[in-house]
Amino acid sequence: MRVAVIGTGYVGLVSAVCLAHMGHMVVGVDNDTEKLAQLQRGQSPIYEPGLQEDLTLAIGTGRLQFHGDLEAAVGGSAVIFIAVGTPPLPSGASDTRAVAAVATAVGAVLAGDDQPRLVVNKSTVPIGTGDRVQDLVAQGAAAAGAPPPPVTVVSNPEFLREGQALWDSYNPDRIVLGSNDPAALLTMEQLYAPLIKRRCRGCDSSHPGPIPLIKTDLASAEMIKYAANAFLATKVSFINELAQLCDRLGADITLVADGIGLDQRIGRAFLDAGIGWGGSCLPKDVSALLHTASSRGLHPRLMEAVTAVNGDQRRLVVRKLQRVLPVLQGCTIGLLGLTFKPNTDDLREAPALDIATELIRLGAMVKGFDPYWSRQDHWPKALGSIQCCSSAMALAKGCHALVVVTEWPEFKLLDWTELGQEMVQRLVVDGRNCLDGAALTAAGFHWQGMGRNPP
Ligand SMILES: NC(=O)c1ccc[n+]([C@@H]2O[C@H](COP(=O)([O-])OP(=O)(O)OC[C@H]3O[C@@H](n4cnc5c(N)ncnc54)[C@H](O)[C@@H]3O)[C@@H](O)[C@H]2O)c1
């Protein structure tokens, strides 16, 4: 099939590559000229494991192209994906202006067109946006003096995890398709057929059985995305609240998580205590759901508590430092890992930013080493207040404490005896419970985990 993907960020680019490997002819469109120029040179503007390789291969097959001309891309496509950003507004609501602009522009391009097409919302959008997109396409066509084009809107929410986005796109736990038109759902099923049968590059063909397909109405599919993220956030805040209790009671939260996680009704995933959730999705999606519920006269108490617990976890890291360094003024604190999770370059809503801001407010000097950003030739503006270090060793030099903010795998291999020799004081707060506390204690460190007591 001929497919257009509008918005080539984390979701759009990965989806475009995946669709091309499924055998479709794909055009990626973006209005960020710098990003577009990079893509046209065959370079990925974002970091995701394996993405550059699969992008190069997809372009090489001749099935993936990029350009800025929405008209040409939309006019030649039977399926038009919208994958633009929906960042949070100050009110907490989702900013859907980019989605609306694309829907209107698609309507204008399709004015007078009589070929049936699908417009597929991959962006995470508030419940009801699918209907609005349908109206906006009609309005776009009306402004050009034409009747509504034969377009059907489908909701196809994305569940990929940054850091393993390609694997997740090739091997999703499920594909959710929402539309009020059964024929549109059938076309989408045909589009995804190679993936559903696990017969495309990147698919785990040893997995028994097809990928589950969930077909719903438009609103339910939109709701599934918010429900999934709200539930994941709830699991993390739940375990973090228990971790605070473990800190006080001398229990070990990782053992507690293992103990409850083996219960199939609970599951072990997303039960790792730590600094809490961040990134471009969970915070904004939970706050958008809160906003939607409040605007319908509901009082979403659980979601409010989930959000409040998460904020506490970031402050807790600073309190843990203050147990040993009551006056942080004049101290140097090193942050290990700055992206919101490992194996990504994404700094949106990264806990490191809040933690650094609080430490600086208390008069500390903050240095940082990030396995991705410290190896680039520029230090991003978002990290401006954090002094860049080129290695963990350079970070440790002159530090009164180190804080593990992101659990990059390479931190497990650090030589803590050598790091300790560079530090003013051997203090580590393991904000992700990824280090061996006993080994650190043996190396002379004062080690604090999250909900784990020093051995
Ligand atoms: N990042 C994730 O892990 C993830 C996972 C699931 C769902 N989502 C959802 O997917 C959507 C996209 O997220 P993302 O992280 O890829 O965002 P992003 O900011 O990385 O990418 C959005 C892209 O859209 C482009 N864009 C904006 N307006 C445009 C327009 N009018 N025309 C063409 N291009 C335009 C931007 O230039 C940008 O490249 C969001 O709704 C997000 O909530 C994201």
Side-chain angles (χ1 to χ4, degrees):
M1 286 188 207
R2 293 192 169 268
V3 179
V5 179
I6 304 169
T8 56
Y10 289 85
V11 165
L13 179 55
V14 171
S15 301
V17 167
C18 188
L19 284 160
H21 284 299
M22 277 186 238
H24 302 299
M25 294 298 293
V26 184
V27 183
V29 182
D30 209 290
N31 64 358
D32 177 332
T33 47
E34 207 174 307
K35 194 174 267 192
L36 196 64
Q38 253 180 296
L39 287 166
Q40 285 170 335
R41 288 196 301 272
Q43 290 168 1
S44 170
I46 55 163
Y47 172 68
E48 263 301 321
L51 180 57
Q52 182 59 59
E53 188 191 346
D54 277 23
L55 171 67
T56 306
L57 280 174
I59 293 172
T61 62
R63 291 196 298 267
L64 179 58
Q65 291 176 20
F66 297 94
H67 55 74
D69 181 1
L70 185 87
E71 193 167 340
V74 166
S77 299
V79 181
I80 301 145
F81 280 91
I82 302 180
V84 296
T86 48
L89 288 166
S91 65
S94 171
D95 182 349
T96 55
R97 280 176 294 184
V99 173
V102 171
T104 311
V106 167
V109 170
L110 297 181
D113 185 80
D114 59 2
Q115 195 187 316
R117 300 173 204 253
L118 302 184
V119 169
V120 183
N121 255 337
K122 218 171 216 326
S123 299
T124 303
V125 287
I127 297 101
T129 304
D131 291 333
R132 200 168 145 244
V133 164
Q134 188 84 52
D135 290 345
L136 288 168
V137 170
Q139 280 174 32
V151 159
T152 307
V153 175
V154 175
S155 168
N156 173 211
E158 179 56 59
F159 301 98
L160 64 77
R161 292 163 290 182
E162 283 181 24
Q164 47 201 76
L166 268 184
W167 169 265
D168 284 351
S169 290
Y170 292 130
N171 300 283
D173 289 339
R174 75 297 205 190
I175 295 172
V176 175
L177 299 173
S179 175
N180 303 331
D181 175 2
L185 293 177
L186 199 61
T187 307
M188 288 301 291
E189 192 173 344
Q190 285 161 356
L191 180 88
Y192 278 119
L195 200 68
I196 293 171
K197 294 180 197 148
R198 301 186 194 272
R199 282 202 203 123
C200 115
R201 183 194 153 72
C203 290
D204 177 7
S205 51
S206 68
H207 197 291
I211 290 169
L213 189 61
I214 309 286
K215 293 188 196 176
T216 73
D217 58 275
L218 207 42
S220 300
E222 291 169 341
M223 186 70 193
I224 286 170
K225 174 65 193 174
Y226 283 102
N229 274 356
F231 190 71
L232 293 173
T234 304
K235 269 188 112 174
V236 176
S237 284
F238 170 81
I239 204 72
N240 280 337
E241 187 159 276
L242 287 194
Q244 292 205 30
L245 201 54
C246 286
D247 264 342
R248 298 285 165 93
L249 302 177
D252 185 324
I253 195 66
T254 55
L255 300 177
V256 173
D258 290 345
I260 62 171
L262 280 170
D263 185 326
Q264 287 190 15
R265 293 167 302 175
I266 296 174
R268 180 62 178 81
F270 265 68
L271 285 181
D272 291 314
I275 289 171
W277 35 276
S280 68
C281 287
L282 291 196
K284 84 172 173 69
D285 292 350
V286 171
S287 76
L289 189 60
L290 262 165
H291 188 271
T292 301
S294 309
S295 68
R296 303 293 156 108
L298 296 174
H299 181 190
R301 278 168 295 181
L302 183 59
M303 286 301 105
E304 279 173 5
V306 163
T307 306
V309 169
N310 200 52
D312 286 351
Q313 288 306 111
R314 297 181 187 191
R315 289 185 283 275
L316 182 62
V317 171
V318 177
R319 288 214 305 279
K320 280 183 183 268
L321 286 171
Q322 286 174 316
R323 282 181 202 160
V324 183
L325 300 168
V327 180
L328 282 164
Q329 175 95 37
C331 289
T332 301
I333 309 298
L335 304 184
L336 272 166
L338 302 170
T339 52
F340 87 95
K341 68 193 298 197
N343 295 318
T344 179
D345 56 356
D346 201 345
L347 291 164
R348 291 178 286 184
E349 292 280 335
L353 306 178
D354 276 356
I355 293 168
T357 303
E358 179 61 3
L359 289 170
I360 290 166
R361 190 186 71 78
L362 294 168
M365 216 268 271
V366 181
K367 306 202 296 178
F369 167 66
D370 183 80
Y372 179 81
W373 284 111
S374 294
R375 290 170 183 148
Q376 303 306 305
D377 49 19
H378 75 287
W379 192 237
K381 229 197 256 166
L383 299 178
S385 52
I386 303 172
Q387 190 190 314
C388 170
C389 296
S390 57
S391 66
M393 204 60 110
L395 178 75
K397 202 170 178 57
C399 273
H400 294 79
L402 291 176
V403 179
V404 180
V405 182
T406 312
E407 69 280 30
W408 283 84
E410 65 184 72
F411 295 161
K412 289 201 172 131
L413 308 174
L414 291 172
D415 183 332
W416 286 94
T417 307
E418 275 188 20
L419 288 178
Q421 282 160 4
E422 298 293 322
M423 296 175 69
V424 175
Q425 195 168 335
R426 294 184 176 207
L427 170 60
V428 172
V429 175
D430 181 1
R432 296 294 181 184
N433 285 342
C434 62
L435 303 177
D436 180 345
L440 261 92
T441 307
F445 275 87
H446 182 119
W447 166 85
Q448 294 183 64
M450 306 291 281
R452 305 183 74 192
N453 288 273

